[in-house]
Coordinates of all heavy atoms in Angstrom, one line a residue:
M1 N -40.6 -26.9 35.9 CA -41.1 -27.2 37.3 C -40.1 -26.7 38.3 O -40.4 -26.3 39.4 CB -41.5 -28.6 37.5 CG -43.0 -28.9 37.7 SD -44.0 -27.7 38.6 CE -44.1 -28.6 40.2
E2 N -38.8 -26.8 38.0 CA -37.9 -26.6 38.9 C -37.8 -25.0 39.4 O -37.8 -24.2 38.5 CB -36.4 -26.9 38.3 CG -35.3 -26.9 39.2 CD -35.4 -28.1 40.2 OE1 -36.1 -29.1 39.9 OE2 -34.7 -28.0 41.3
Q3 N -37.9 -24.8 40.6 CA -37.8 -23.5 41.1 C -36.4 -23.2 41.7 O -36.2 -23.8 42.8 CB -38.9 -23.3 42.1 CG -40.3 -23.1 41.6 CD -41.2 -22.8 42.7 OE1 -41.2 -23.2 43.9 NE2 -42.2 -21.9 42.3
S4 N -35.7 -22.4 41.2 CA -34.3 -22.0 41.7 C -34.2 -20.5 42.0 O -33.3 -20.2 42.5 CB -33.3 -22.6 40.9 OG -33.4 -22.0 39.6
Q5 N -35.2 -19.7 41.6 CA -35.1 -18.3 41.6 C -35.6 -17.8 43.0 O -36.7 -18.1 43.3 CB -35.8 -17.6 40.6 CG -35.2 -17.8 39.2 CD -33.8 -17.2 39.1 OE1 -33.5 -16.1 39.5 NE2 -32.8 -18.0 38.6
Y6 N -34.8 -17.1 43.8 CA -35.2 -16.6 45.1 C -36.1 -15.5 44.9 O -36.9 -15.1 45.8 CB -34.1 -16.3 45.9 CG -33.0 -17.3 46.1 CD1 -31.9 -17.2 45.4 CD2 -33.2 -18.4 46.8 CE1 -30.9 -18.2 45.4 CE2 -32.4 -19.5 46.9 CZ -31.2 -19.3 46.2 OH -30.3 -20.4 46.2
S7 N -36.2 -14.9 43.7 CA -37.1 -13.7 43.4 C -38.4 -14.1 43.0 O -39.3 -13.3 43.0 CB -36.4 -12.8 42.3 OG -36.2 -13.6 41.2
D8 N -38.7 -15.5 42.9 CA -40.0 -15.9 42.6 C -40.9 -15.7 43.8 O -40.6 -16.1 45.0 CB -40.0 -17.4 42.2 CG -41.3 -17.9 41.9 OD1 -42.3 -17.3 42.3 OD2 -41.4 -19.0 41.2
A9 N -42.0 -14.8 43.6 CA -42.7 -14.4 44.7 C -43.4 -15.6 45.5 O -43.8 -15.5 46.7 CB -43.8 -13.5 44.3
S10 N -43.7 -16.7 44.8 CA -44.3 -17.8 45.3 C -43.3 -18.7 46.2 O -43.8 -19.7 46.8 CB -45.1 -18.6 44.4 OG -44.2 -19.2 43.5
S11 N -42.0 -18.5 46.0 CA -41.0 -19.5 46.6 C -40.5 -19.0 47.9 O -39.6 -19.5 48.4 CB -39.9 -19.7 45.6 OG -39.2 -18.5 45.4
Y12 N -40.9 -17.9 48.5 CA -40.5 -17.6 49.8 C -41.6 -17.0 50.6 O -42.6 -16.5 50.1 CB -39.3 -16.7 49.6 CG -39.6 -15.3 49.2 CD1 -40.0 -14.3 50.0 CD2 -39.6 -15.0 47.8 CE1 -40.4 -13.0 49.4 CE2 -39.9 -13.8 47.2 CZ -40.3 -12.9 48.2 OH -40.5 -11.6 47.6
T13 N -41.5 -17.0 51.9 CA -42.4 -16.2 52.8 C -41.6 -14.9 53.3 O -40.5 -15.1 53.5 CB -42.9 -17.0 53.9 OG1 -41.8 -17.8 54.4 CG2 -44.0 -17.9 53.4
H14 N -42.3 -13.9 53.5 CA -41.6 -12.6 53.7 C -41.6 -12.3 55.2 O -42.6 -12.6 55.9 CB -42.4 -11.5 52.9 CG -41.5 -10.4 52.7 ND1 -40.3 -10.5 52.2 CD2 -41.8 -9.1 52.7 CE1 -39.7 -9.3 52.0 NE2 -40.6 -8.4 52.4
S15 N -40.6 -11.7 55.5 CA -40.5 -10.9 56.9 C -41.0 -11.8 58.0 O -42.0 -11.5 58.6 CB -41.3 -9.7 56.9 OG -40.8 -8.8 55.8
L16 N -40.1 -12.7 58.4 CA -40.5 -13.6 59.4 C -40.4 -12.9 60.8 O -41.2 -13.2 61.8 CB -39.6 -14.9 59.6 CG -39.6 -15.7 58.4 CD1 -38.6 -16.9 58.5 CD2 -41.0 -16.3 58.3
N17 N -39.6 -11.9 60.9 CA -39.6 -11.0 62.2 C -39.2 -9.7 61.6 O -39.0 -9.4 60.4 CB -38.5 -11.6 63.2 CG -37.1 -11.8 62.6 OD1 -36.7 -10.9 61.7 ND2 -36.5 -12.9 62.9
C18 N -39.1 -8.7 62.6 CA -38.9 -7.4 62.3 C -37.4 -6.9 62.3 O -37.2 -5.8 62.1 CB -39.6 -6.4 63.1 SG -41.5 -6.7 62.9
N19 N -36.6 -7.9 62.6 CA -35.2 -7.6 62.7 C -34.6 -7.4 61.3 O -34.7 -8.4 60.5 CB -34.4 -8.7 63.5 CG -35.0 -8.8 64.8 OD1 -35.4 -7.9 65.5 ND2 -34.9 -10.1 65.3
P20 N -34.0 -6.3 61.0 CA -33.3 -6.2 59.7 C -32.2 -7.0 59.7 O -31.5 -7.3 60.7 CB -33.0 -4.7 59.6 CG -33.0 -4.3 61.1 CD -33.8 -5.1 61.9
G21 N -31.9 -7.6 58.5 CA -30.7 -8.4 58.3 C -29.5 -7.6 58.1 O -29.5 -6.4 58.1
P22 N -28.3 -8.2 57.7 CA -27.1 -7.5 57.3 C -27.4 -6.7 55.9 O -28.4 -6.9 55.2 CB -26.1 -8.6 57.0 CG -26.9 -9.8 56.7 CD -28.3 -9.6 57.5
F23 N -26.6 -5.7 55.6 CA -26.8 -4.9 54.5 C -26.3 -5.7 53.3 O -25.5 -6.5 53.3 CB -25.9 -3.6 54.5 CG -26.6 -2.7 55.5 CD1 -26.0 -2.6 56.8 CD2 -27.7 -1.8 55.2 CE1 -26.6 -1.7 57.8 CE2 -28.1 -0.9 56.1 CZ -27.7 -0.9 57.3
C24 N -27.1 -5.5 52.2 CA -26.8 -6.1 50.9 C -25.5 -5.3 50.3 O -25.1 -4.3 50.9 CB -28.0 -5.8 50.0 SG -27.8 -6.5 48.3
H25 N -25.0 -5.8 49.2 CA -23.9 -5.2 48.7 C -24.2 -3.8 48.2 O -23.3 -2.9 47.8 CB -23.2 -6.0 47.5 CG -24.1 -6.4 46.5 ND1 -24.4 -5.5 45.4 CD2 -24.8 -7.5 46.2 CE1 -25.3 -6.1 44.6 NE2 -25.6 -7.3 45.1
C26 N -25.5 -3.5 47.9 CA -25.9 -2.2 47.4 C -26.2 -1.3 48.6 O -26.8 -0.2 48.4 CB -27.1 -2.3 46.6 SG -28.7 -2.9 47.4
N27 N -25.9 -1.7 49.8 CA -26.2 -0.9 51.0 C -27.5 -0.8 51.4 O -27.8 0.1 52.3 CB -25.4 0.5 50.9 CG -23.9 0.4 51.1 OD1 -23.5 -0.4 51.8 ND2 -23.1 1.3 50.4
K28 N -28.4 -1.6 51.0 CA -29.8 -1.5 51.5 C -29.9 -2.5 52.5 O -29.2 -3.6 52.5 CB -30.8 -1.9 50.3 CG -31.2 -0.7 49.4 CD -32.1 -1.1 48.4 CE -33.6 -1.3 48.9 NZ -34.5 0.0 48.8
A29 N -30.8 -2.3 53.5 CA -31.0 -3.3 54.6 C -31.8 -4.4 53.9 O -32.7 -4.3 53.2 CB -31.8 -2.6 55.6
T30 N -31.5 -5.7 54.5 CA -32.2 -6.8 54.0 C -33.2 -7.3 55.1 O -33.0 -6.9 56.3 CB -31.3 -8.0 53.7 OG1 -30.4 -8.3 54.9 CG2 -30.3 -7.6 52.6
M31 N -34.2 -8.1 54.7 CA -35.1 -8.7 55.7 C -35.0 -10.2 55.6 O -34.7 -10.7 54.6 CB -36.5 -8.2 55.2 CG -36.9 -6.7 55.4 SD -36.8 -6.2 57.1 CE -38.2 -7.0 57.8
M32 N -35.2 -10.8 56.7 CA -35.1 -12.2 56.8 C -36.4 -12.7 56.1 O -37.6 -12.4 56.4 CB -35.2 -12.7 58.1 CG -34.8 -14.2 58.3 SD -34.7 -14.8 59.9 CE -32.9 -14.3 60.3
S33 N -36.3 -13.7 55.1 CA -37.3 -14.4 54.5 C -37.0 -15.9 54.5 O -35.9 -16.3 55.0 CB -37.4 -13.9 53.0 OG -37.7 -12.5 53.0
K34 N -38.0 -16.6 54.1 CA -37.8 -18.1 54.1 C -38.0 -18.6 52.6 O -39.0 -18.3 51.9 CB -38.7 -18.7 55.1 CG -38.4 -20.3 55.3 CD -39.3 -20.8 56.3 CE -38.9 -20.7 57.7 NZ -39.7 -21.5 58.7
S35 N -37.0 -19.4 52.3 CA -37.0 -20.0 50.9 C -37.9 -21.2 50.9 O -37.9 -22.0 51.9 CB -35.6 -20.4 50.6 OG -35.6 -21.3 49.4
W36 N -38.6 -21.6 49.8 CA -39.3 -22.7 49.7 C -39.0 -23.4 48.4 O -39.9 -24.0 47.7 CB -40.9 -22.5 49.8 CG -41.2 -22.2 51.3 CD1 -41.5 -21.1 51.9 CD2 -41.2 -23.3 52.3 NE1 -41.8 -21.3 53.3 CE2 -41.6 -22.7 53.4 CE3 -40.9 -24.7 52.3 CZ2 -41.7 -23.3 54.7 CZ3 -41.0 -25.3 53.6 CH2 -41.4 -24.6 54.7
T37 N -37.9 -23.2 47.9 CA -37.4 -24.0 46.7 C -37.2 -25.4 47.0 O -37.1 -25.9 48.2 CB -36.1 -23.3 46.1 OG1 -35.2 -23.5 47.1 CG2 -36.3 -21.9 45.8
N38 N -37.1 -26.2 45.9 CA -36.7 -27.7 46.1 C -35.5 -27.9 46.7 O -35.2 -28.8 47.5 CB -36.9 -28.4 44.8 CG -38.4 -28.5 44.3 OD1 -39.3 -28.6 45.1 ND2 -38.5 -28.6 43.0
E39 N -34.5 -27.0 46.4 CA -33.1 -27.1 46.9 C -33.1 -26.7 48.4 O -32.2 -27.2 49.1 CB -32.2 -26.3 46.1 CG -31.9 -27.0 44.7 CD -31.4 -28.4 44.9 OE1 -30.5 -28.7 45.7 OE2 -32.1 -29.3 44.4
N40 N -33.8 -25.7 48.8 CA -33.7 -25.2 50.1 C -35.0 -24.9 50.8 O -35.4 -23.8 51.1 CB -33.0 -23.8 50.0 CG -31.5 -24.0 49.6 OD1 -30.7 -24.4 50.3 ND2 -31.3 -23.6 48.4
P41 N -35.8 -26.0 51.0 CA -37.1 -25.8 51.6 C -36.9 -25.3 53.1 O -36.3 -26.1 53.9 CB -37.7 -27.3 51.6 CG -36.4 -28.2 51.5 CD -35.4 -27.5 50.7
G42 N -37.7 -24.3 53.4 CA -37.7 -23.8 54.8 C -36.4 -23.2 55.4 O -36.3 -22.9 56.5
R43 N -35.4 -22.9 54.5 CA -34.2 -22.3 54.8 C -34.3 -20.8 54.8 O -34.8 -20.2 53.9 CB -33.1 -22.8 53.8 CG -31.7 -22.4 54.3 CD -30.7 -22.9 53.3 NE -29.3 -22.7 53.8 CZ -28.3 -22.9 53.1 NH1 -28.3 -23.4 51.8 NH2 -27.0 -22.7 53.5
R44 N -33.9 -20.1 55.9 CA -34.0 -18.7 56.0 C -32.9 -18.0 55.3 O -31.7 -18.5 55.4 CB -34.0 -18.4 57.4 CG -35.4 -18.8 58.2 CD -35.3 -18.5 59.7 NE -34.3 -19.3 60.2 CZ -33.9 -19.2 61.4 NH1 -34.6 -18.4 62.3 NH2 -32.9 -20.0 61.9
F45 N -33.1 -16.9 54.7 CA -32.1 -16.1 54.0 C -32.5 -14.6 54.2 O -33.6 -14.3 54.5 CB -31.9 -16.5 52.6 CG -33.3 -16.1 51.7 CD1 -33.2 -15.0 50.9 CD2 -34.3 -17.0 51.8 CE1 -34.4 -14.7 50.2 CE2 -35.5 -16.7 50.9 CZ -35.5 -15.5 50.1
F46 N -31.5 -13.7 53.9 CA -31.6 -12.4 53.9 C -31.9 -11.9 52.4 O -31.2 -12.3 51.6 CB -30.5 -11.6 54.5 CG -30.3 -12.0 56.0 CD1 -29.1 -12.8 56.4 CD2 -31.1 -11.6 56.9 CE1 -28.9 -13.2 57.7 CE2 -31.0 -12.0 58.3 CZ -29.8 -12.7 58.6
R47 N -33.0 -11.1 52.4 CA -33.4 -10.7 51.0 C -33.4 -9.2 50.9 O -33.9 -8.4 51.7 CB -34.9 -11.2 50.9 CG -35.4 -11.0 49.5 CD -36.8 -11.6 49.4 NE -37.4 -11.3 48.1 CZ -37.9 -10.2 47.7 NH1 -38.1 -9.2 48.5 NH2 -38.3 -10.0 46.5
C48 N -32.8 -8.8 49.8 CA -32.8 -7.4 49.5 C -34.0 -7.0 48.5 O -34.3 -7.9 47.7 CB -31.5 -7.1 48.7 SG -31.4 -5.5 47.9
D49 N -34.6 -6.0 48.6 CA -35.7 -5.6 47.9 C -35.4 -5.4 46.4 O -36.2 -5.7 45.5 CB -36.3 -4.2 48.3 CG -37.3 -4.4 49.6 OD1 -37.6 -5.7 49.8 OD2 -37.6 -3.4 50.3
V50 N -34.2 -5.1 46.1 CA -33.7 -4.8 44.8 C -33.1 -6.2 44.1 O -33.5 -6.5 43.0 CB -32.6 -3.8 44.7 CG1 -32.1 -3.5 43.3 CG2 -33.2 -2.4 45.3
H51 N -32.3 -6.8 44.9 CA -31.5 -7.9 44.4 C -32.1 -9.3 44.8 O -31.5 -10.2 44.3 CB -30.1 -7.8 44.8 CG -29.4 -6.6 44.3 ND1 -29.2 -5.5 45.1 CD2 -28.9 -6.2 43.1 CE1 -28.7 -4.5 44.4 NE2 -28.5 -5.0 43.2
G52 N -33.0 -9.3 45.6 CA -33.5 -10.6 46.0 C -32.5 -11.3 47.1 O -32.1 -10.6 48.0
F53 N -32.2 -12.4 46.7 CA -31.2 -13.1 47.6 C -30.0 -12.4 47.9 O -29.2 -12.0 47.0 CB -30.9 -14.5 47.1 CG -30.0 -15.3 47.9 CD1 -30.4 -16.0 49.0 CD2 -28.6 -15.3 47.7 CE1 -29.6 -16.8 49.8 CE2 -27.7 -16.1 48.5 CZ -28.2 -16.7 49.6
S54 N -29.7 -12.3 49.2 CA -28.4 -11.6 49.6 C -27.5 -12.6 50.3 O -26.4 -12.7 49.8 CB -28.7 -10.5 50.6 OG -27.5 -9.8 51.0
S55 N -27.9 -13.2 51.3 CA -27.1 -14.3 52.0 C -27.9 -15.3 52.9 O -29.1 -14.8 53.2 CB -26.0 -13.6 52.9 OG -26.5 -12.8 53.9
W56 N -27.5 -16.3 53.2 CA -28.1 -17.2 54.0 C -28.2 -16.9 55.5 O -27.1 -16.4 56.0 CB -27.6 -18.7 53.9 CG -27.8 -19.3 52.6 CD1 -26.9 -19.6 51.6 CD2 -29.1 -19.7 52.0 NE1 -27.5 -20.2 50.5 CE2 -28.9 -20.3 50.7 CE3 -30.5 -19.6 52.4 CZ2 -29.8 -20.7 49.9 CZ3 -31.4 -20.1 51.7 CH2 -31.1 -20.7 50.4
A57 N -29.3 -17.0 56.1 CA -29.3 -16.8 57.6 C -29.0 -18.2 58.2 O -28.3 -18.2 59.2 CB -30.6 -16.4 58.1
D58 N -29.6 -19.2 57.7 CA -29.3 -20.5 58.1 C -28.1 -21.1 57.3 O -28.2 -21.3 56.1 CB -30.4 -21.6 57.9 CG -31.6 -21.1 58.8 OD1 -31.4 -20.7 59.9 OD2 -32.7 -21.2 58.3
K59 N -27.0 -21.3 58.0 CA -25.6 -21.6 57.2 C -25.7 -22.9 56.6 O -25.0 -23.2 55.6 CB -24.5 -21.3 58.2 CG -24.4 -19.9 58.6 CD -24.2 -18.9 57.5 CE -24.1 -17.5 58.0 NZ -24.3 -16.5 56.9
E60 N -26.3 -23.9 57.3 CA -26.2 -25.2 56.9 C -27.2 -25.6 55.8 O -28.3 -25.0 55.8 CB -26.5 -26.2 58.0 CG -25.5 -26.5 59.1 CD -26.0 -27.2 60.2 OE1 -26.4 -28.3 60.0 OE2 -25.9 -26.7 61.4
N61 N -26.7 -26.4 54.8 CA -27.7 -26.9 53.8 C -28.8 -27.7 54.3 O -28.4 -28.5 55.2 CB -26.9 -27.5 52.7 CG -25.9 -26.7 51.8 OD1 -26.3 -25.6 51.4 ND2 -24.8 -27.1 51.7
P62 N -30.0 -27.6 53.8 CA -31.0 -28.7 54.2 C -30.5 -30.1 53.6 O -29.9 -30.1 52.5 CB -32.3 -28.1 53.4 CG -31.9 -26.9 52.8 CD -30.5 -26.7 52.7
H63 N -30.8 -31.1 54.4 CA -30.3 -32.4 53.9 C -31.2 -33.5 54.6 O -31.9 -33.2 55.5 CB -28.9 -32.6 54.2 CG -28.5 -32.7 55.7 ND1 -28.3 -31.4 56.4 CD2 -28.4 -33.5 56.6 CE1 -28.1 -31.7 57.5 NE2 -28.2 -33.0 57.8
G64 N -31.1 -34.7 54.1 CA -31.7 -35.9 54.7 C -33.2 -35.8 54.8 O -33.8 -35.2 54.0
W65 N -33.8 -36.5 55.7 CA -35.2 -36.7 55.8 C -35.9 -35.4 56.1 O -37.1 -35.2 55.7 CB -35.5 -37.8 56.8 CG -35.2 -37.4 58.2 CD1 -34.0 -37.9 58.8 CD2 -35.9 -36.7 59.2 NE1 -33.9 -37.4 60.2 CE2 -35.1 -36.7 60.4 CE3 -37.0 -36.0 59.2 CZ2 -35.5 -36.0 61.5 CZ3 -37.5 -35.4 60.3 CH2 -36.7 -35.4 61.5
Q66 N -35.3 -34.5 56.8 CA -35.9 -33.2 57.1 C -36.2 -32.4 55.8 O -37.3 -31.9 55.6 CB -34.9 -32.4 58.0 CG -34.8 -32.9 59.3 CD -33.4 -33.5 59.5 OE1 -32.9 -34.2 58.4 NE2 -32.8 -33.7 60.7
K67 N -35.2 -32.4 54.9 CA -35.4 -31.8 53.6 C -36.6 -32.4 52.8 O -37.5 -31.7 52.3 CB -34.1 -31.9 52.8 CG -34.2 -31.2 51.5 CD -32.9 -31.3 50.6 CE -33.1 -30.7 49.3 NZ -31.8 -30.8 48.6
V68 N -36.7 -33.7 52.8 CA -37.7 -34.4 52.1 C -39.1 -34.1 52.7 O -40.0 -33.8 52.0 CB -37.4 -36.0 52.1 CG1 -38.6 -36.7 51.5 CG2 -36.1 -36.3 51.3
S69 N -39.1 -34.1 54.0 CA -40.4 -34.0 54.7 C -40.8 -32.4 54.5 O -42.0 -32.2 54.4 CB -40.1 -34.1 56.3 OG -40.0 -35.5 56.5
L70 N -39.9 -31.5 54.5 CA -40.3 -30.1 54.3 C -40.8 -29.9 52.8 O -41.8 -29.3 52.7 CB -39.1 -29.3 54.5 CG -38.7 -29.0 55.9 CD1 -37.4 -28.3 56.1 CD2 -39.8 -28.1 56.6
I71 N -40.3 -30.5 51.9 CA -40.8 -30.5 50.5 C -42.2 -31.1 50.4 O -43.1 -30.5 49.9 CB -39.8 -31.1 49.6 CG1 -38.5 -30.2 49.4 CG2 -40.4 -31.2 48.2 CD1 -37.4 -30.9 48.6
E72 N -42.4 -32.3 51.1 CA -43.6 -32.9 51.1 C -44.7 -32.0 51.8 O -45.8 -31.9 51.3 CB -43.6 -34.2 51.8 CG -42.9 -35.3 50.9 CD -42.6 -36.7 51.7 OE1 -43.0 -36.6 52.9 OE2 -42.2 -37.6 51.1
A73 N -44.3 -31.4 52.9 CA -45.2 -30.5 53.6 C -45.6 -29.2 52.7 O -46.7 -28.9 52.8 CB -44.7 -30.1 54.9
R74 N -44.6 -28.7 52.1 CA -44.8 -27.6 51.3 C -45.8 -27.9 50.2 O -46.7 -27.2 49.9 CB -43.4 -27.1 50.7 CG -43.6 -26.0 49.7 CD -42.4 -25.9 48.8 NE -42.5 -26.9 47.8 CZ -41.5 -27.2 47.0 NH1 -40.5 -26.4 46.9 NH2 -41.6 -28.2 46.1
D75 N -45.7 -29.0 49.5 CA -46.4 -29.4 48.4 C -47.9 -29.7 48.9 O -48.9 -29.4 48.2 CB -45.9 -30.6 47.7 CG -44.6 -30.2 46.9 OD1 -44.4 -29.0 46.8 OD2 -44.0 -31.2 46.5
E76 N -48.0 -30.3 50.1 CA -49.3 -30.6 50.6 C -50.1 -29.3 51.0 O -51.3 -29.2 50.6 CB -49.2 -31.6 51.9 CG -50.5 -32.1 52.2 CD -50.3 -33.2 53.3 OE1 -49.1 -33.8 53.3 OE2 -51.1 -33.4 54.1
I77 N -49.4 -28.5 51.6 CA -50.0 -27.2 51.9 C -50.4 -26.4 50.7 O -51.5 -25.8 50.6 CB -49.1 -26.2 52.8 CG1 -48.8 -26.8 54.2 CG2 -49.5 -24.9 52.9 CD1 -47.7 -26.3 54.9
G78 N -49.6 -26.5 49.6 CA -49.9 -25.8 48.4 C -51.1 -26.4 47.7 O -51.9 -25.6 47.3
S79 N -51.2 -27.7 47.7 CA -52.5 -28.3 47.2 C -53.7 -28.1 48.0 O -54.8 -27.9 47.5 CB -52.3 -29.7 46.9 OG -52.1 -30.5 48.0
L80 N -53.6 -28.0 49.3 CA -54.7 -27.7 50.2 C -55.2 -26.2 49.9 O -56.3 -26.0 49.9 CB -54.3 -27.9 51.6 CG -54.2 -29.4 52.1 CD1 -53.6 -29.4 53.4 CD2 -55.5 -30.1 52.0
K81 N -54.2 -25.4 49.7 CA -54.5 -24.0 49.6 C -55.4 -23.7 48.2 O -56.2 -23.0 48.1 CB -53.2 -23.1 49.5 CG -52.7 -22.6 50.9 CD -51.6 -21.8 50.7 CE -51.2 -21.1 52.1 NZ -49.9 -20.4 51.9
E82 N -54.7 -24.5 47.3 CA -55.5 -24.5 45.9 C -56.9 -25.0 46.0 O -57.8 -24.4 45.4 CB -54.6 -25.4 45.0 CG -54.8 -25.0 43.6 CD -53.8 -25.9 42.7 OE1 -52.6 -25.6 42.9 OE2 -54.3 -26.6 41.9
E83 N -57.0 -26.0 46.7 CA -58.4 -26.6 47.0 C -59.3 -25.7 47.6 O -60.4 -25.5 47.3 CB -58.2 -27.9 47.8 CG -59.5 -28.9 47.6 CD -59.2 -30.1 48.4 OE1 -58.1 -30.6 48.5 OE2 -60.2 -30.6 49.1
L84 N -58.7 -25.0 48.7 CA -59.5 -24.0 49.4 C -59.9 -22.9 48.5 O -61.1 -22.4 48.6 CB -58.6 -23.5 50.5 CG -59.3 -22.6 51.6 CD1 -60.4 -23.4 52.3 CD2 -58.2 -22.3 52.7
T85 N -59.0 -22.4 47.7 CA -59.3 -21.3 46.7 C -60.5 -21.7 45.7 O -61.4 -20.9 45.6 CB -58.1 -20.9 45.9 OG1 -57.0 -20.7 46.8 CG2 -58.4 -19.8 45.0
N86 N -60.4 -22.9 45.3 CA -61.4 -23.5 44.4 C -62.8 -23.6 45.1 O -63.9 -23.2 44.6 CB -61.0 -24.9 43.9 CG -59.9 -24.8 42.9 OD1 -59.6 -23.6 42.3 ND2 -59.1 -25.8 42.7
L87 N -62.7 -24.1 46.3 CA -64.0 -24.2 47.1 C -64.6 -22.8 47.3 O -65.8 -22.7 47.2 CB -63.6 -24.8 48.4 CG -63.4 -26.4 48.4 CD1 -63.0 -26.9 49.7 CD2 -64.7 -27.2 48.0
R88 N -63.7 -21.9 47.8 CA -64.3 -20.5 48.0 C -64.9 -19.9 46.7 O -65.9 -19.2 46.8 CB -63.1 -19.6 48.4 CG -62.9 -19.9 49.9 CD -61.8 -18.9 50.5 NE -61.7 -19.1 52.0 CZ -60.5 -18.9 52.5 NH1 -59.4 -18.5 51.9 NH2 -60.5 -19.0 53.9
A89 N -64.2 -20.2 45.5 CA -64.8 -19.6 44.4 C -66.0 -20.2 43.9 O -66.9 -19.6 43.3 CB -63.7 -19.9 43.2
N90 N -66.4 -21.4 44.5 CA -67.6 -22.2 44.1 C -68.8 -21.8 45.2 O -69.9 -22.3 45.0 CB -67.5 -23.6 44.1 CG -66.6 -23.9 42.8 OD1 -66.8 -23.3 41.8 ND2 -65.7 -24.9 42.9
I91 N -68.5 -21.1 46.2 CA -69.5 -20.7 47.1 C -70.6 -19.8 46.4 O -70.1 -18.7 45.9 CB -69.0 -20.0 48.4 CG1 -68.1 -21.0 49.1 CG2 -70.1 -19.6 49.3 CD1 -67.4 -20.5 50.3
P92 N -71.7 -20.2 46.4 CA -72.8 -19.3 45.7 C -72.9 -18.0 46.4 O -73.0 -17.9 47.6 CB -74.1 -20.1 45.7 CG -73.9 -21.3 46.5 CD -72.4 -21.3 46.9
K93 N -73.0 -16.9 45.7 CA -73.1 -15.6 46.3 C -74.7 -15.4 46.5 O -75.5 -15.8 45.8 CB -72.7 -14.5 45.3 CG -71.2 -14.5 45.2 CD -70.7 -13.3 44.5 CE -69.3 -13.2 44.5 NZ -68.5 -14.3 44.0
R94 N -75.0 -14.8 47.7 CA -76.3 -14.5 48.1 C -76.8 -13.1 47.7 O -76.1 -12.3 47.8 CB -76.5 -14.6 49.6 CG -76.1 -16.1 50.0 CD -76.5 -16.3 51.5 NE -75.9 -17.6 52.0 CZ -76.2 -18.2 53.1 NH1 -77.1 -17.5 53.9 NH2 -75.6 -19.2 53.5
Ligands
LIG101 ZN1 -29.2 -5.2 47.1

């Protein structure tokens, strides 16, 4: 269950804005993305298309009640999305 890979497509949201991030060590431009792992819920980072995680945009580690709340919100949104998908799948076709 533990998600620690930044390359997991389901654990981040892509391109929060159009500003390119700093260059990766491979000299490719990175894009800002948001991590949704248990360790770093809601934390923004710069992502290379080739290497995945490049560096943090938000320097501080998530901590305290904010971190717990973000994980709870993430999981709640996840289960709601799943429910919505199931409901849509059950709509009879006309
Ligand atoms: Zn790279």
Side-chain angles (χ1 to χ4, degrees):
M1 249 320 261
E2 194 69 19
Q3 284 185 326
S4 58
Q5 291 299 312
Y6 307 106
S7 55
D8 184 338
S10 66
S11 66
Y12 67 90
T13 43
H14 205 44
S15 303
L16 296 177
N17 55 41
C18 297
N19 300 328
F23 288 97
C24 180
H25 58 80
C26 66
N27 281 331
K28 276 181 78 93
T30 59
M31 292 297 290
M32 194 182 276
S33 297
K34 192 178 271 190
S35 164
W36 283 109
T37 61
N38 288 333
E39 282 311 300
N40 294 289
R43 192 179 185 186
R44 291 173 299 176
F45 67 100
F46 296 110
R47 187 177 178 279
C48 169
D49 280 341
V50 180
H51 299 98
F53 178 81
S54 177
S55 60
W56 291 113
D58 295 322
K59 299 299 178 195
E60 288 176 54
N61 290 317
H63 63 276
W65 62 266
Q66 293 98 333
K67 181 180 176 183
V68 175
S69 293
L70 282 167
I71 290 172
E72 284 173 1
R74 178 201 67 183
D75 291 347
E76 193 169 333
I77 290 167
S79 64
L80 288 172
K81 275 185 177 172
E82 204 171 297
E83 199 177 324
L84 190 60
T85 305
N86 291 336
L87 287 170
R88 282 184 172 147
N90 286 325
I91 296 172
K93 293 195 167 55
R94 301 187 187 193

